[in-house]
Amino acid sequence: MQTATILSPGKLLPARLTRGFTLLELLVVLVIIGLLVAYVAPRYFSQVGKSEVKAARAQIRALEDALDQYRLDVGRYPTGEQGLEALNAQPAGEARWQGPYLRKAVPKDPWGNAYQYRAPGEHGEYDLLSLGKDGQPGGTGEAADIVNWQ
């Protein structure tokens, strides 16, 4: 005898239509989802890396603007010893300091490392750089240094 399920008063569905999905059908769907993820994920994560590089460049430009404002007020850029912290806290003996020159604390680069500041610099009055994703000098792609002199 075949069983039936009541759909609404007066209408019955055969039991075979109410059982659900077979294991094979579920596996086929999981394989399809896996293939889609394998295709989309690398493209998505490559874009994330590019956006981190763009964010580092934008932060370096913002730090350059703050350093230029510091120079206008004090007459020179912060020394290497004073570092970027001179943009938020008045260095000892700097009577002409009109800061803070940043709204928040000096940011870390997108990979969580501190920006490197050298004054005097090898490429200008100061060098400002992020060591990239790997945190090591040099590198290529996302691991390349992001600098203010290029």
Side-chain angles (χ1 to χ4, degrees), residues 56 60 109-111 113-116 118 128-147 149:
I60 285 177
D109 70 13
W111 302 280
N113 302 314
Y115 283 99
Q116 307 289 314
R118 299 181 198 121
L128 183 59
L129 65 141
S130 165
L131 296 176
K133 185 175 185 176
D134 63 354
Q136 302 295 321
T140 58
E142 292 176 32
D145 297 348
I146 297 131
V147 298
W149 59 84

Short mmCIF file of all heavy atoms in Angstrom, two decimals, residues 56 60 109-111 113-116 118 128-147 149:
data_model
loop_
_atom_site.label_atom_id
_atom_site.label_comp_id
_atom_site.label_asym_id
_atom_site.label_seq_id
_atom_site.Cartn_x
_atom_site.Cartn_y
_atom_site.Cartn_z
N ALA A 56 48.15 51.08 2.01
CA ALA A 56 49.47 51.50 2.50
C ALA A 56 49.93 52.77 1.78
O ALA A 56 50.47 53.69 2.41
CB ALA A 56 50.49 50.38 2.30
N ILE A 60 50.68 56.37 3.57
CA ILE A 60 51.97 57.07 3.41
C ILE A 60 51.73 58.50 2.93
O ILE A 60 52.36 59.43 3.43
CB ILE A 60 52.91 56.28 2.47
CG1 ILE A 60 53.46 55.06 3.21
CG2 ILE A 60 54.04 57.17 1.94
CD1 ILE A 60 54.35 54.17 2.38
N ASP A 109 50.90 49.70 9.27
CA ASP A 109 50.59 49.42 7.88
C ASP A 109 49.51 48.33 7.82
O ASP A 109 49.16 47.75 8.85
CB ASP A 109 51.86 49.07 7.09
CG ASP A 109 52.47 47.73 7.44
OD1 ASP A 109 51.83 46.91 8.12
OD2 ASP A 109 53.61 47.48 7.02
N PRO A 110 48.94 48.08 6.66
CA PRO A 110 47.84 47.11 6.58
C PRO A 110 48.19 45.70 7.05
O PRO A 110 47.31 44.90 7.30
CB PRO A 110 47.47 47.10 5.10
CG PRO A 110 47.87 48.45 4.62
CD PRO A 110 49.12 48.79 5.39
N TRP A 111 49.46 45.39 7.18
CA TRP A 111 49.89 44.07 7.64
C TRP A 111 50.25 44.07 9.11
O TRP A 111 50.76 43.09 9.64
CB TRP A 111 51.05 43.58 6.77
CG TRP A 111 50.65 43.55 5.32
CD1 TRP A 111 49.93 42.58 4.69
CD2 TRP A 111 50.90 44.56 4.35
NE1 TRP A 111 49.72 42.93 3.39
CE2 TRP A 111 50.31 44.13 3.14
CE3 TRP A 111 51.56 45.78 4.37
CZ2 TRP A 111 50.35 44.89 1.97
CZ3 TRP A 111 51.60 46.52 3.21
CH2 TRP A 111 51.01 46.07 2.03
N ASN A 113 52.46 46.09 10.73
CA ASN A 113 53.83 46.52 11.05
C ASN A 113 53.91 48.04 11.11
O ASN A 113 53.14 48.73 10.46
CB ASN A 113 54.80 46.00 9.98
CG ASN A 113 54.76 44.49 9.86
OD1 ASN A 113 54.76 43.78 10.87
ND2 ASN A 113 54.68 43.99 8.65
N ALA A 114 54.86 48.54 11.87
CA ALA A 114 55.07 49.98 11.96
C ALA A 114 55.70 50.50 10.67
O ALA A 114 56.50 49.81 10.04
CB ALA A 114 55.97 50.30 13.14
N TYR A 115 55.32 51.72 10.28
CA TYR A 115 55.97 52.37 9.15
C TYR A 115 57.38 52.75 9.56
O TYR A 115 57.64 53.14 10.70
CB TYR A 115 55.20 53.61 8.71
CG TYR A 115 53.96 53.28 7.92
CD1 TYR A 115 52.71 53.28 8.53
CD2 TYR A 115 54.03 52.95 6.58
CE1 TYR A 115 51.57 52.96 7.81
CE2 TYR A 115 52.90 52.63 5.85
CZ TYR A 115 51.68 52.63 6.48
OH TYR A 115 50.56 52.31 5.76
N GLN A 116 58.31 52.62 8.62
CA GLN A 116 59.71 52.98 8.85
C GLN A 116 59.90 54.45 8.48
O GLN A 116 59.49 54.86 7.39
CB GLN A 116 60.63 52.10 8.00
CG GLN A 116 60.40 50.61 8.16
CD GLN A 116 60.85 50.11 9.49
OE1 GLN A 116 61.94 50.43 9.96
NE2 GLN A 116 59.99 49.32 10.14
N ARG A 118 62.92 57.48 8.43
CA ARG A 118 64.34 57.80 8.58
C ARG A 118 64.56 59.25 8.18
O ARG A 118 64.15 59.66 7.10
CB ARG A 118 65.20 56.91 7.69
CG ARG A 118 65.06 55.44 8.00
CD ARG A 118 65.97 54.62 7.09
NE ARG A 118 65.52 53.24 7.11
CZ ARG A 118 65.13 52.55 6.06
NH1 ARG A 118 65.17 53.09 4.86
NH2 ARG A 118 64.74 51.31 6.17
N LEU A 128 60.13 57.34 4.13
CA LEU A 128 58.97 56.77 4.81
C LEU A 128 58.55 55.54 4.02
O LEU A 128 58.34 55.63 2.81
CB LEU A 128 57.84 57.80 4.85
CG LEU A 128 56.56 57.45 5.57
CD1 LEU A 128 56.82 57.12 7.04
CD2 LEU A 128 55.57 58.60 5.45
N LEU A 129 58.48 54.39 4.67
CA LEU A 129 58.18 53.17 3.95
C LEU A 129 57.50 52.11 4.79
O LEU A 129 57.58 52.12 6.02
CB LEU A 129 59.45 52.58 3.32
CG LEU A 129 60.52 52.09 4.29
CD1 LEU A 129 61.12 50.82 3.75
CD2 LEU A 129 61.60 53.14 4.43
N SER A 130 56.83 51.22 4.10
CA SER A 130 56.28 49.99 4.66
C SER A 130 57.06 48.86 4.02
O SER A 130 57.35 48.90 2.82
CB SER A 130 54.79 49.86 4.35
OG SER A 130 54.35 48.54 4.58
N LEU A 131 57.37 47.84 4.78
CA LEU A 131 58.13 46.72 4.23
C LEU A 131 57.25 45.70 3.52
O LEU A 131 57.72 44.64 3.13
CB LEU A 131 58.93 46.04 5.36
CG LEU A 131 60.00 46.94 5.98
CD1 LEU A 131 60.68 46.23 7.14
CD2 LEU A 131 61.02 47.40 4.95
N GLY A 132 55.98 46.00 3.34
CA GLY A 132 55.10 45.12 2.60
C GLY A 132 54.60 43.94 3.42
O GLY A 132 54.78 43.88 4.64
N LYS A 133 53.98 43.03 2.75
CA LYS A 133 53.32 41.90 3.41
C LYS A 133 54.29 41.01 4.19
O LYS A 133 53.97 40.54 5.27
CB LYS A 133 52.59 41.06 2.37
CG LYS A 133 51.78 39.93 2.95
CD LYS A 133 50.97 39.21 1.88
CE LYS A 133 50.09 38.15 2.51
NZ LYS A 133 49.23 37.52 1.51
N ASP A 134 55.50 40.82 3.65
CA ASP A 134 56.45 39.92 4.31
C ASP A 134 57.21 40.58 5.46
O ASP A 134 57.86 39.90 6.25
CB ASP A 134 57.43 39.33 3.30
CG ASP A 134 58.31 40.37 2.63
OD1 ASP A 134 58.10 41.58 2.85
OD2 ASP A 134 59.21 39.98 1.87
N GLY A 135 57.16 41.91 5.57
CA GLY A 135 57.86 42.60 6.65
C GLY A 135 59.36 42.61 6.50
O GLY A 135 60.08 42.93 7.44
N GLN A 136 59.86 42.26 5.32
CA GLN A 136 61.30 42.20 5.05
C GLN A 136 61.64 43.19 3.94
O GLN A 136 60.84 43.43 3.05
CB GLN A 136 61.70 40.79 4.60
CG GLN A 136 61.36 39.70 5.59
CD GLN A 136 62.14 39.83 6.88
OE1 GLN A 136 63.32 40.19 6.87
NE2 GLN A 136 61.48 39.58 8.00
N PRO A 137 62.86 43.76 3.96
CA PRO A 137 63.25 44.68 2.89
C PRO A 137 63.23 43.99 1.53
O PRO A 137 63.52 42.80 1.43
CB PRO A 137 64.67 45.09 3.27
CG PRO A 137 64.79 44.81 4.73
CD PRO A 137 63.88 43.65 4.99
N GLY A 138 62.86 44.74 0.50
CA GLY A 138 62.82 44.21 -0.86
C GLY A 138 61.54 43.44 -1.10
O GLY A 138 60.52 43.66 -0.46
N GLY A 139 61.60 42.53 -2.03
CA GLY A 139 60.44 41.71 -2.34
C GLY A 139 59.74 42.17 -3.61
O GLY A 139 60.04 43.23 -4.16
N THR A 140 58.80 41.35 -4.05
CA THR A 140 58.02 41.66 -5.24
C THR A 140 56.55 41.45 -4.95
O THR A 140 56.18 40.78 -3.99
CB THR A 140 58.43 40.76 -6.42
OG1 THR A 140 58.23 39.39 -6.05
CG2 THR A 140 59.88 40.97 -6.83
N GLY A 141 55.70 42.02 -5.80
CA GLY A 141 54.26 41.87 -5.63
C GLY A 141 53.79 42.48 -4.33
O GLY A 141 54.16 43.59 -3.97
N GLU A 142 52.99 41.72 -3.58
CA GLU A 142 52.47 42.20 -2.30
C GLU A 142 53.57 42.32 -1.24
O GLU A 142 53.42 43.04 -0.27
CB GLU A 142 51.38 41.27 -1.78
CG GLU A 142 50.13 41.29 -2.61
CD GLU A 142 49.12 40.28 -2.12
OE1 GLU A 142 49.07 40.02 -0.91
OE2 GLU A 142 48.37 39.76 -2.96
N ALA A 143 54.67 41.60 -1.44
CA ALA A 143 55.78 41.64 -0.49
C ALA A 143 56.75 42.79 -0.77
O ALA A 143 57.68 43.00 -0.01
CB ALA A 143 56.54 40.30 -0.51
N ALA A 144 56.52 43.55 -1.84
CA ALA A 144 57.40 44.67 -2.19
C ALA A 144 57.25 45.80 -1.19
O ALA A 144 56.20 46.00 -0.61
CB ALA A 144 57.09 45.16 -3.59
N ASP A 145 58.34 46.53 -0.99
CA ASP A 145 58.31 47.70 -0.13
C ASP A 145 57.45 48.79 -0.78
O ASP A 145 57.48 48.97 -2.00
CB ASP A 145 59.72 48.25 0.09
CG ASP A 145 60.63 47.25 0.82
OD1 ASP A 145 60.11 46.25 1.35
OD2 ASP A 145 61.84 47.49 0.86
N ILE A 146 56.72 49.52 0.05
CA ILE A 146 55.93 50.66 -0.42
C ILE A 146 56.60 51.89 0.16
O ILE A 146 56.71 52.01 1.38
CB ILE A 146 54.46 50.53 0.02
CG1 ILE A 146 53.85 49.28 -0.62
CG2 ILE A 146 53.67 51.74 -0.38
CD1 ILE A 146 53.14 48.42 0.32
N VAL A 147 57.06 52.78 -0.70
CA VAL A 147 57.93 53.88 -0.27
C VAL A 147 57.36 55.23 -0.71
O VAL A 147 56.50 55.31 -1.58
CB VAL A 147 59.34 53.69 -0.85
CG1 VAL A 147 59.97 52.40 -0.33
CG2 VAL A 147 59.32 53.68 -2.37
N TRP A 149 59.27 57.71 -2.04
CA TRP A 149 60.11 58.39 -3.02
C TRP A 149 59.89 57.89 -4.44
O TRP A 149 60.59 58.30 -5.35
CB TRP A 149 61.59 58.27 -2.64
CG TRP A 149 62.12 56.86 -2.52
CD1 TRP A 149 62.57 56.07 -3.53
CD2 TRP A 149 62.22 56.11 -1.33
NE1 TRP A 149 62.96 54.86 -3.04
CE2 TRP A 149 62.76 54.87 -1.68
CE3 TRP A 149 61.92 56.36 0.00
CZ2 TRP A 149 63.01 53.86 -0.74
CZ3 TRP A 149 62.16 55.37 0.93
CH2 TRP A 149 62.70 54.13 0.56
#
